[in-house]
Amino acid sequence: MTVAKSSFQISADFDSGNIDVLDISDPLQASLAIRPDTRSPHFQWFHFKASGLHVGQEHWFRLTNASKSSYSRAWTGYQAVASYDHVNWFRIPTIFEGDALRFNLEATQTHAWFAYFEPYSRGRHDWLIEQALSKAGTELLATGKSVEGRDIQLLRKGSGVEGQRKIWIIAQQHPGEHMAEWFMEGVLERLQRHDDAELNTLLAGADLYLVPNMNPDGAFHGHLRTNAMGQDLNRAWQNASQELSPEVVFVQQQMQKYGVDLFLDVHGDEEIPHVFAAGCEGNPGYTPRLEQLEEQFRSHLKHQTRDFQTTHGYPRSQPGHANMTLACNSVGEQYDCLSLTLEMPFKDHDDNPNPYTGWSGKRSMQLGKDVLSTFASLVNNLR
Ligand code: ZN
């Protein structure tokens, strides 16, 4: 069979793109590598477009440096996602060979995108902020700047009057964890409802402070873990600086200004195929009150949706041994409040699997909506 080599191309020169082309002389066996984050050895996120696919043929893509990635064990049991329109994403057959990750697509169209997870684009982020302001009734309370000058919006739902609890949700400190901003889109979509009794209960007692994307530079550059200075923002909450981590400085200043009664930091986990929440049990200031609130959160959300569970998750910290550089622990300690890291999988939520999409943007959105029900159940107990 004759294959026109010249028509086959791989590109990643776009928002959240990440791939290096090593050898595509055989279009059916592309040899690629994931590019590390800027000023950091971390890598795992990939996102690229293949053009000139041969319809009806099986194209293989080989990520040759997968075994050297930040979470190499996480490739086992993982399936890549692909899309023909950058809107509808589906899982494709994927094999981790011990050194490289290989996946294939039997092409039905001449071009397709491939990614570690369904990407949340900067264009959609801009649209989301506009929807939040025009339809969800939020105000733009403040705008921070990333290292490279991208906007970090802080939205507020509620008037800020005295007595209201302050509930904070931040997302995508780790820029490759795109499910986190899908989650925020779900939150903001539910805020558009008017005849929602649970939502009204929540908003009667609390204002919501929302940061849909804390690391826009990292997301734009296709990073897994860091900002443009190579800083892992979720390890910077004890020593954030304007030079290295202005994104964290901004959110900390705003928290100082308004206060915090509940904090949720939204993430994705590479390895564990379940949705789960991690708490502050290792904090020096952890108390039975906080433990009870954590238990109420988990118990309610578990009954609210099959897309949350409490069996699998991170090992619990020993008392007094929390890593205080994490946002969850730092904020929980400083404000003596319920403070959680919510983790969604890059793989699937095995308790309620979907073989076609795995965990997805849509499911992340639904979880964002469901979490507001859980907040409504807790709002009068937070203090
Ligand atoms: Zn994370």
Side-chain angles (χ1 to χ4, degrees):
M1 174 173 303
T2 310
V3 170
K5 287 181 186 174
S6 57
S7 64
F8 182 74
Q9 284 188 344
I10 301 274
S11 59
D13 187 17
F14 47 75
D15 171 28
S16 79
N18 181 325
I19 210 71
D20 284 333
V21 175
L22 301 184
D23 182 0
I24 54 168
S25 54
D26 179 353
L28 301 183
Q29 301 281 348
S31 182
L32 310 169
I34 306 173
R35 182 170 40 76
D37 294 0
T38 311
R39 299 186 176 91
S40 159
H42 278 294
F43 67 89
Q44 191 111 4
W45 172 262
F46 60 90
H47 179 198
F48 61 90
K49 181 182 182 182
S51 313
L53 295 171
H54 302 286
V55 173
Q57 293 197 43
E58 201 169 78
H59 283 263
W60 281 91
F61 302 87
R62 190 164 182 269
L63 307 188
T64 56
N65 59 349
S67 67
K68 309 236 168 23
S69 71
S70 300
Y71 303 97
S72 59
R73 287 196 315 173
W75 297 119
T76 303
Y78 166 76
Q79 291 190 296
V81 296
S83 173
Y84 288 112
D85 56 8
H86 214 262
V87 175
N88 298 292
W89 293 82
F90 52 92
R91 300 278 168 168
I92 53 175
T94 303
I95 306 163
F96 182 51
E97 296 174 320
D99 56 348
L101 187 80
R102 292 176 74 202
F103 45 84
N104 78 73
L105 179 72
E106 192 176 316
T108 62
Q109 298 186 34
T110 55
H111 66 263
W113 284 266
F114 301 86
Y116 189 33
F117 188 83
E118 182 177 349
Y120 200 97
S121 70
R122 190 65 182 171
R124 194 173 182 102
H125 170 86
D126 294 341
W127 168 85
L128 179 64
I129 298 298
E130 197 233 303
Q131 295 287 300
L133 301 179
S134 65
K135 293 188 177 165
T138 66
E139 65 177 304
L140 182 60
L141 198 58
T143 304
K145 291 287 181 191
S146 66
V147 169
E148 294 182 342
R150 291 187 176 82
D151 288 344
I152 302 165
Q153 293 91 352
L154 168 61
L155 304 168
R156 181 170 69 190
K157 175 78 172 181
S159 59
V161 296
E162 206 174 326
Q164 289 289 91
R165 298 296 177 226
K166 286 108 180 167
I167 296 181
W168 285 73
I169 313 176
I170 69 169
Q172 223 172 334
Q173 288 201 82
H174 291 145
E177 295 165 10
H178 288 246
M179 56 287 279
E181 191 158 5
W182 286 110
F183 177 99
M184 296 302 286
E185 185 173 322
V187 169
L188 286 159
E189 195 172 285
R190 188 167 179 187
L191 292 183
Q192 297 181 23
R193 295 183 192 166
H194 296 292
D195 54 352
D196 182 330
E198 282 175 335
L199 181 62
N200 292 338
T201 298
L202 172 62
L203 296 174
D207 294 341
L208 301 183
Y209 294 75
L210 308 171
V211 183
N213 188 332
M214 248 190 94
N215 195 340
D217 294 349
F220 182 81
H221 291 299
H223 288 183
L224 174 71
R225 194 114 182 129
T226 71
N227 71 356
M229 294 300 282
Q231 298 295 303
D232 180 337
L233 298 183
N234 202 29
R235 298 293 183 274
W237 285 67
Q238 291 303 313
N239 60 351
S241 73
Q242 198 58 43
E243 183 199 2
L244 294 176
S245 45
E247 300 89 351
V248 174
V249 171
F250 167 66
V251 173
Q252 285 179 324
Q253 286 173 344
Q254 297 298 318
M255 286 179 162
Q256 198 76 50
K257 186 169 174 182
Y258 296 104
V260 185
D261 297 307
L262 191 171
F263 176 55
L264 187 71
D265 185 16
V266 186
H267 286 255
D269 185 85
E270 291 81 358
E271 193 168 347
I272 299 174
H274 303 275
V275 178
F276 59 96
C280 292
E281 71 281 349
N283 275 5
Y286 195 64
T287 58
R289 179 183 79 86
L290 296 177
E291 185 176 12
Q292 196 177 14
L293 284 168
E294 280 184 18
E295 166 55 27
Q296 286 172 8
F297 174 91
R298 290 194 180 95
S299 160
H300 187 280
L301 190 55
K302 190 167 72 171
H303 288 100
Q304 177 74 23
T305 171
R306 290 176 65 205
D307 277 351
F308 182 78
Q309 58 79 51
T310 56
T311 306
H312 306 274
Y314 296 143
R316 289 172 67 81
S317 299
Q318 291 303 307
H321 286 79
N323 180 345
M324 302 308 290
T325 67
L326 271 68
C328 167
N329 295 338
S330 172
V331 173
E333 183 73 13
Q334 184 175 352
Y335 295 95
D336 185 29
C337 66
L338 174 60
S339 184
L340 296 154
T341 306
L342 184 70
E343 297 280 355
M344 293 173 277
F346 278 88
K347 296 173 178 172
D348 201 348
H349 178 64
D350 282 0
D351 311 82
N352 185 24
N354 181 329
Y356 184 69
T357 64
W359 191 254
S360 65
K362 189 177 170 190
R363 296 176 74 185
S364 307
M365 283 179 67
Q366 183 58 48
L367 186 65
K369 294 177 188 181
D370 287 333
V371 160
L372 295 184
S373 297
T374 297
F375 285 176
S377 78
L378 289 171
V379 68
N380 295 319
N381 305 334
L382 292 176
R383 292 293 178 191

